[in-house]
Amino acid sequence: MTGTIIRDAKLGELSDLAELMCASGHGVIELLYDNLVPGRALTDLLIERRLQNRDSFAHLSNWRVACDDNGKVAGAACALPFPVYSSLPGDPLITADRLAPIRDLITLEAGLAGSFCLTNIAVRPAARGRGVGQALLADTKARGHAAGFNRVGLSTFGDDPAVMGFY
């Protein structure tokens, strides 16, 4: 990849975003959405309940994509102001039982107050090590600054050395 182009995500990229959302979630997305609606595929649920839902933190409008030289999605990031993120309703189908295993991660989110909140970031394995993730982070930082924030915040698991090294 000679140059990474960062741009707003497009409607035709919903499947790419659902895939990258799963990749960024360290199994959390699967924990919450697998078999949530019997007979519905995980990707379809994410597109319907998150990416197309205006009341979701993961609505299409909050995503930016990194494209390779051929215009294909190499990675993506979802970010929005924490005050907006914290005011959005959760998915009514996600019960307290489904949330219980990630209670500690949810508790950490309070520390994101006052930040531009990076909720998801992922780079396809074939594009890793080429600056795509750094370009997405730089874009997120610039978007946050333009929105009046002086910091970007995120919550993640500390037991993933690759992710911690990247951040």
Side-chain angles (χ1 to χ4, degrees):
M1 188 180 307
T2 57
T4 302
I5 297 171
I6 308 291
R7 61 165 173 73
D8 291 338
K10 298 177 182 176
L11 193 57
E13 296 165 336
L14 292 174
S15 292
D16 290 307
L17 296 178
E19 177 187 330
L20 290 164
M21 191 173 179
C22 286
S24 73
H26 302 280
V28 171
I29 301 301
E30 293 84 352
L31 172 83
L32 297 176
Y33 283 94
D34 264 349
N35 301 311
L36 182 66
V37 178
R40 297 291 311 277
L42 176 62
T43 299
D44 294 340
L45 284 173
L46 292 176
I47 290 170
E48 175 189 318
R49 302 197 67 78
R50 288 296 183 192
L51 297 167
Q52 291 182 323
N53 180 352
R54 290 216 172 268
D55 290 333
S56 169
F57 70 89
H59 182 261
L60 177 65
S61 63
N62 296 321
W63 286 87
R64 301 273 288 166
V65 296
C67 296
D68 64 17
D69 295 331
N70 299 316
K72 301 288 183 192
V73 175
C78 179
L80 65 163
F82 181 78
V84 174
Y85 172 76
S86 64
S87 70
L88 293 170
D91 188 325
L93 293 183
I94 304 296
T95 63
D97 290 346
R98 282 194 180 252
L99 290 171
I102 60 166
R103 187 171 295 125
D104 290 344
L105 187 61
I106 294 168
T107 301
L108 288 175
E109 290 178 351
L112 299 176
S115 71
F116 196 69
C117 184
L118 179 62
T119 63
N120 299 88
I121 185 169
V123 175
R124 294 189 190 279
R128 291 181 185 156
R130 298 180 183 175
V132 174
Q134 291 299 326
L136 286 165
L137 282 176
D139 180 74
T140 300
K141 183 178 176 184
R143 289 175 54 215
H145 183 74
F149 293 88
N150 61 9
R151 69 184 184 123
V152 171
L154 63 96
S155 294
T156 191
F157 296 98
D159 59 354
D160 185 337
V163 170
M164 295 311 290
F166 173 71
Y167 294 134

